[in-house]
Amino acid sequence: MRRLATALLCLAVLVGCADPGQVPSSDGLPTDTGWVTYQADVTAVRLSADPRSLALTVALLGDADGCSRNPRVTYFTEENNRIYANVVQDSRLSGTVGACPTHTPGEVTLTAPGPIAGRTVVLNQEPWKRDGDEYRRCDETFGCDPMPTDRCDPAWISVAVRGMDVSRHSVGSPEGCDGRWLVMTVPFDPVPCGAEARPGCDASVNVRRYFLRWAGERGWATIAGSTKAGCGDVRTVEPAFPRKLCADLPTP
């Protein structure tokens, strides 16, 4: 009985010491649960000597044997003058906490049946557009179109409205903009009763005036809001806001 109890204790110790993601084999030693396929993030896209191919730099799970192998392109298709593909890697340790804490660069070649010829390439659902000898990742806000150089452009106005706590149907109406400062009115919800007014619904729309400052790559940042005529309280919050942009404005 003492010999049997000792054997059972040893087996329990081995099971308790097995790494997460591993199971004990019949002899009590841990074994791998197998390789699993994961997305490999693309960090750069470059032209290659072959007009049908692109060189993709990818971030591979690193720091231990078993973190990553076989980076490759899967699900390749061509639609609407675009190329769509997924880039993946295999790992047997990614499910083990702390086993693969870093990333190492790797390279994958994407090859199309015919010349790529500057077409937009969508990798892991992220579009990339040719820019000289390389490709650049398209912007989350403006897509593959260039960012407007005019800060008062309606596209920048739309970005600012999307960041406000208003209806997704709301549209900003600029009242003054000089590239550094912006004042506009925005309805809280332009269709409070729906596209076709429901019986008994009050279709009055609450409109508020917003004062904004240009904040660089983030676009326009809200300084203050008001339901008053003129500059409201914005110059109390930001004395530098130019009076000429708001002094004569009516109640929104």
Side-chain angles (χ1 to χ4, degrees):
M1 289 297 293
R2 180 179 299 175
R3 185 173 301 172
L4 176 60
T6 301
L8 290 174
L9 178 60
C10 291
L11 178 59
V13 170
L14 287 172
V15 172
C17 293
D19 290 336
Q22 295 180 329
V23 296
S25 63
S26 57
D27 60 2
L29 297 176
T31 60
D32 298 329
T33 58
W35 293 81
V36 180
T37 300
Y38 295 88
Q39 175 177 302
D41 293 334
V42 179
T43 58
V45 179
R46 304 183 309 280
L47 299 177
S48 70
D50 183 351
R52 301 179 304 117
S53 298
L54 294 174
L56 314 180
T57 301
V58 296
L60 303 178
L61 296 170
D63 212 32
D65 182 29
C67 283
S68 178
R69 73 174 184 185
N70 193 25
R72 62 196 183 278
V73 171
T74 63
Y75 178 71
F76 179 96
T77 189
E78 298 172 297
E79 296 178 6
N80 300 322
N81 202 37
R82 286 189 169 198
I83 293 174
Y84 295 83
N86 289 342
V87 186
V88 300
Q89 61 186 316
D90 296 330
S91 177
R92 64 177 177 81
L93 294 179
S94 61
T96 302
V97 178
C100 306
T102 63
H103 289 85
T104 59
E107 188 164 299
V108 174
T109 300
L110 180 148
T111 302
I116 295 176
R119 284 180 287 171
T120 296
V121 181
V122 183
L123 305 171
N124 296 339
Q125 302 182 8
E126 291 188 335
W128 294 72
K129 185 176 182 178
R130 183 170 176 176
D131 185 9
D133 293 335
E134 298 185 355
Y135 276 66
R136 61 175 176 82
R137 195 193 312 267
C138 295
D139 185 74
E140 292 182 2
T141 301
F142 296 103
C144 295
D145 297 327
M147 293 184 183
T149 55
D150 180 4
R151 299 173 180 178
C152 301
D153 188 280
W156 282 115
I157 304 297
S158 296
V159 172
V161 174
R162 286 203 298 269
M164 296 177 174
D165 185 18
V166 294
S167 166
R168 62 186 178 89
H169 302 291
S170 298
V171 177
S173 299
E175 298 176 294
C177 181
D178 63 3
R180 182 183 179 190
W181 308 99
L182 166 67
V183 55
M184 65 177 173
T185 55
V186 182
F188 178 74
D189 186 352
V191 286
C193 295
E196 297 182 4
R198 301 184 301 275
C201 178
D202 181 4
S204 62
V205 177
N206 294 321
V207 177
R208 192 174 184 86
R209 177 169 291 125
Y210 291 89
F211 303 87
L212 304 94
R213 177 198 298 110
W214 181 256
E217 294 182 358
R218 296 188 296 114
W220 291 102
T222 301
I223 303 170
S226 175
T227 56
K228 303 176 183 178
C231 297
D233 299 324
V234 66
R235 289 177 56 83
T236 301
V237 179
E238 176 52 85
F241 195 94
R243 187 184 298 274
K244 66 179 180 179
L245 292 182
C246 56
D248 299 328
L249 294 177
T251 302

